Amino acid sequence: MTFIDFKKLLLDAEISLPKFSKLIKVSEKNIQSYKQKGEVPNTIAVIVTCFASMHKEGMDFRLIIEALELQAKVKKGAGFAKKKKPTTTS
């Protein structure tokens, strides 16, 4: 799915990009990066298509997604985290 088609489906679902990213717990920057690539991944395409269809049928997809209690992924790895010093016992 092209990024343009993705944006059209967001309009059909009556949800903004920031609200969409917050709802599915994905960084808005990650989703915006697909604009340069021109396409969105299949999973994002499926989600937005379902949201637009559910909205058209009068279903409140927001309540359904919020009930899942999704958790945002936290980046782990490189950084400037403080390293723990080994404790010595005397």
Side-chain angles (χ1 to χ4, degrees):
M1 169 182 290
T2 67
F3 190 80
I4 292 169
D5 290 336
F6 165 74
K7 293 284 281 190
K8 287 177 183 176
L9 284 172
L10 283 178
L11 289 173
D12 291 345
E14 294 185 12
I15 188 168
S16 66
L17 186 89
K19 289 181 180 178
F20 174 78
S21 63
K22 188 174 181 180
L23 182 64
I24 66 168
K25 305 292 189 235
V26 173
S27 166
E28 186 180 344
K29 286 183 181 182
N30 284 355
I31 295 176
Q32 285 286 8
S33 71
Y34 302 131
K35 185 176 184 178
Q36 289 180 329
K37 295 176 185 176
E39 292 187 355
V40 296
N42 292 341
T43 52
I44 300 294
V46 169
I47 292 167
V48 76
T49 301
C50 288
F51 284 5
S53 296
M54 292 168 83
H55 181 73
K56 184 178 177 183
E57 295 297 321
M59 297 175 68
D60 190 353
F61 59 85
R62 291 168 185 87
L63 294 175
I64 296 167
I65 302 305
E66 288 169 357
L68 294 173
E69 297 180 3
L70 300 174
Q71 299 295 315
K73 287 188 177 181
V74 180
K75 273 191 173 179
K76 296 178 185 174
F80 297 101
K82 293 181 181 178
K83 293 185 179 181
K84 293 182 181 178
K85 292 183 180 178
T87 56
T88 57
T89 53
S90 301

